[in-house]
């Protein structure tokens, strides 16, 4: 049995499909209101902040994937995420399951220094502090040998369907709608973005590779990092129309943050758009040289296919 805690998001849904295609049909989906992706999926309703419910959800599992997400709300993250991680660790210990934790890069400083699996945690705000706390909780258990786990860490998303990110919302969704895209902070710094189906395929591969456990993995990206200006140029070629763009400087976000809660919550992420964002996934590439990463042009073509 392979179990997804936090089913229903774009990463989890594609993870379920990948597991079903290549690894197992014995899959359990866990969330407050789970819905099947494949006909054979087992559905379990559970609140992961409830320790007993989490124990029941994990029972009988061989591999557990923790992919749960929450709205961009610092207080909610501080209240919910540590409890979810604590309960998940306790559950996999109790039932002898392996754990795959899907993580992000909010705990990194957001400087142009290349980010590797050994990069120190230097969060810029409350949400980054929570993510550092979660990763540290699990790393401490891994170091103590009390859980058999791995961390799969991803940079900012871009992708099809329900993918949520600044890049999708400000750039590609607006292009699809025939609107002028907005570029956060700078159009000339190199971006490290992960195609969401690639992230899910990589998680499934790691979770079914016994030697991958016991460490952190940066999930695979197209190493030909593009700037937003270059991405929009690709979009112009794909759509056959000239696309202009507007750069939103940090001052605009700062001003808006006083009135718009969503901008206030996102403010701590701005440093990563000021300079190059160099997420290094070479460790994964060395271990899994046959993994096919989606190139930016192909990803952009797929996003804009219906525009």
């Amino acid at each position: 049995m392979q179990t997804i805690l936090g089913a229903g998001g774009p990463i989890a849904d594609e993870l379920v499909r990948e597991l079903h295609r290549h690894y197992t049909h014995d899959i359990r989906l866990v969330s407050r209101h789970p819905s099947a992706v494949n006909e054979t999926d087992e559905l379990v309703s559970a609140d992961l902040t409830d320790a007993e419910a989490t124990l029941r959800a994990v029972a009988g599992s061989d591999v557990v994937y923790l992919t749960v997400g929450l709205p961009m709300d610092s207080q909610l993250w501080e209240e919910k995420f540590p409890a979810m991680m604590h309960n998940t660790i306790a559950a996999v210990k109790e039932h002898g399951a392996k754990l795959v934790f899907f993580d992000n890069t909010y705990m990194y400083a957001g400087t142009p220094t290349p980010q590797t699996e050994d990069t120190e945690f230097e969060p810029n705000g409350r949400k980054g502090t929570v993510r550092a706390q979660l990763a540290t909780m699990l790393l401490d258990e891994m170091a103590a040998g009390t859980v058999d786990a791995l961390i799969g860490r991803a940079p900012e998303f871009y992708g099809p369907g329900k993918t949520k990110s600044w890049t999708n919302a400000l750039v590609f969704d607006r292009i699809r709608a025939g609107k002028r895209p907005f570029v956060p902070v700078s159009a000339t710094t190199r971006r490290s973005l992960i195609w969401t189906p690639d992230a899910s395929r990589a998680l499934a591969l790691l979770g079914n590779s016994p030697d991958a456990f016991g460490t952190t993995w940066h999930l695979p990206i197209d190493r030909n990092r593009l700037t937003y200006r270059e991405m929009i140029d690709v979009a112009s070629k794909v759509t056959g129309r000239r696309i202009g763009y507007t750069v939103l400087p940090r001052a605009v976000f700062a001003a808006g943050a006083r009135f718009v809660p969503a901008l206030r919550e996102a403010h701590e992420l701005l440093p990563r758009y000021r300079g190059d964002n160099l997420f290094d996934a070479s460790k994964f590439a060395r271990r899994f040289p046959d993994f096919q990463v989606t190139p930016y042009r192909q990803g952009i073509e797929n996003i804009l296919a219906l525009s």
Side-chain angles (χ1 to χ4, degrees):
M1 171 70 71
Q2 300 207 18
T3 296
I4 291 87
L5 301 181
I11 296 296
D13 282 356
E14 186 58 34
L15 172 60
V16 175
R17 296 186 188 98
E18 183 70 7
L19 291 173
H20 190 270
R21 281 192 295 260
H22 297 294
Y23 302 102
T24 181
H25 289 185
D26 196 10
I27 302 170
R28 178 184 296 157
L29 308 185
V30 181
S31 69
R32 285 179 175 271
H33 305 287
S35 58
V37 176
N38 309 294
E39 291 184 359
T40 55
D41 295 339
E42 176 186 343
L43 305 182
V44 173
S45 177
D47 177 355
L48 298 180
T49 64
D50 181 322
E52 289 300 321
T54 307
L55 275 172
R56 291 193 298 271
V58 169
S61 301
D62 299 304
V63 182
V64 173
Y65 301 83
L66 182 58
T67 64
V68 66
L70 289 173
M72 292 285 280
D73 181 317
S74 295
Q75 183 173 343
L76 189 65
W77 283 34
E78 291 163 349
E79 293 173 353
K80 302 287 189 181
F81 268 140
M84 291 178 179
M85 177 59 81
H86 179 272
N87 293 341
T88 299
I89 290 172
V92 297
K93 281 183 180 180
E94 175 72 19
H95 296 295
K98 295 182 177 182
L99 176 59
V100 177
F101 174 43
F102 179 61
D103 201 7
N104 65 26
T105 61
Y106 286 16
M107 74 291 294
Y108 293 155
T111 67
T113 302
Q115 300 166 347
T116 71
E117 289 85 352
D118 296 322
T119 296
E120 293 185 2
F121 297 167
E122 298 180 40
N124 293 310
R126 293 169 65 185
K127 287 180 291 299
T129 299
V130 172
R131 298 306 300 198
Q133 179 185 359
L134 302 184
T136 300
M137 287 172 64
L138 184 54
L139 288 168
D140 287 347
E141 297 282 353
M142 292 161 63
T146 54
V147 296
D148 196 6
L150 66 85
I151 297 173
R153 184 166 292 140
E156 183 181 350
F157 300 159
Y158 83 115
K162 297 182 290 185
T163 299
K164 295 180 180 179
S165 69
W166 275 12
T167 297
N168 261 43
L170 297 179
V171 180
F172 297 123
D173 288 351
R174 292 184 63 83
I175 291 173
R176 286 192 59 185
K179 299 177 180 178
R180 187 179 181 89
F182 294 138
V183 170
V185 184
S186 173
T188 59
T189 57
R190 288 179 291 166
R191 313 314 309 157
S192 293
L193 304 177
I194 192 165
W195 180 247
T196 48
D198 286 356
S200 301
R201 290 193 299 116
L203 283 178
L205 178 57
L206 289 169
N208 289 276
S209 299
D211 68 321
F213 286 81
T215 189
T216 298
W217 297 87
H218 277 187
L219 300 181
I221 64 169
D222 181 356
R223 286 179 283 186
N224 179 31
R225 300 173 183 86
L226 301 183
T227 66
Y228 278 123
R229 182 168 64 188
E230 290 169 333
M231 291 182 219
I232 293 169
D233 183 58
V234 171
S236 293
K237 292 180 172 65
V238 169
T239 60
R241 56 187 173 87
R242 188 173 181 273
I243 301 173
Y245 59 86
T246 299
V247 175
L248 301 180
R250 293 185 71 186
V252 170
F253 286 94
R258 288 180 282 178
F259 309 102
V260 181
L263 291 179
R264 185 162 57 249
E265 288 291 342
H267 193 263
E268 71 181 79
L269 306 180
L270 290 178
R272 68 189 58 212
Y273 295 93
R274 183 172 48 194
D276 290 345
N277 178 233
L278 304 177
F279 180 86
D280 184 344
S282 57
K283 175 181 172 180
F284 185 98
R286 288 192 300 271
R287 170 60 183 84
F288 302 102
D290 296 330
F291 188 95
Q292 296 297 307
V293 175
T294 302
Y296 277 114
R297 182 181 178 95
Q298 181 182 336
I300 294 170
E301 286 178 347
N302 288 347
I303 293 173
L304 301 178
L306 300 178
S307 62

